[in-house]
């Protein structure tokens, strides 16, 4: 049986506006954010396309629950979570899409 992996993730703008989401295909979803393929979305409007944090799950219900949990946190708590694993808020996906113009 093929096991799927699900992700809860945070993308940020250069000014540190945060967007939290959940997906079953992180690379494709980040590509969509970088290319603003959903033009009317919050992430596109605020240029949230830099992947700064993510977690893996084998059960989509856990990924959804984590997304909801994070969305209920204060901004300070979200920033602390990002900085724990990614202190410089580096774009973790930058090597995936070197030619995307963002």
């Amino acid at each position: 049986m093929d096991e799927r992996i699900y992700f809860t993730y945070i993308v940020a703008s250069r000014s540190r506006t945060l967007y939290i989401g959940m997906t079953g295909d992180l690379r494709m979803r980040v590509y969509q954010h970088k290319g603003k393929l959903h033009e009317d979305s919050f992430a596109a409007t605020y240029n949230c396309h830099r992947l700064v944090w993510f977690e893996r799950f084998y059960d989509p219900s856990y990924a959804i629950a984590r997304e909801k949990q994070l969305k209920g946190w204060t901004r300070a708590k979200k920033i602390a979570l990002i900085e724990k694993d990614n202190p410089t808020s580096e774009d973790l996906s930058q090597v995936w899409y070197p030619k995307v113009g963002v």
Side-chain angles (χ1 to χ4, degrees), residues 15-41:
S15 63
R16 295 185 83 171
T17 299
L18 304 176
Y19 173 84
I20 298 170
M22 175 270 178
T23 185
D25 188 341
L26 186 60
R27 285 184 182 233
M28 178 56 71
R29 189 67 183 111
V30 171
Y31 180 82
Q32 291 169 344
H33 285 301
K34 288 187 177 299
K36 295 186 180 182
L37 300 181
H38 301 282
E39 295 175 7
D40 296 333
S41 72

Side-chain angles (χ1 to χ4, degrees), residues 5-9 26 53-59 62-63 96:
I5 299 175
Y6 302 88
F7 300 88
T8 301
Y9 67 93
L26 186 60
W53 179 91
F54 66 93
E55 278 183 346
R56 294 175 185 87
F57 298 90
Y58 292 102
D59 184 327
Y62 291 132
W96 298 350

Side-chain angles (χ1 to χ4, degrees), residues 37-51:
L37 300 181
H38 301 282
E39 295 175 7
D40 296 333
S41 72
F42 176 91
T45 300
Y46 293 97
N47 296 311
C48 297
H49 54 73
R50 300 172 66 249
L51 179 66

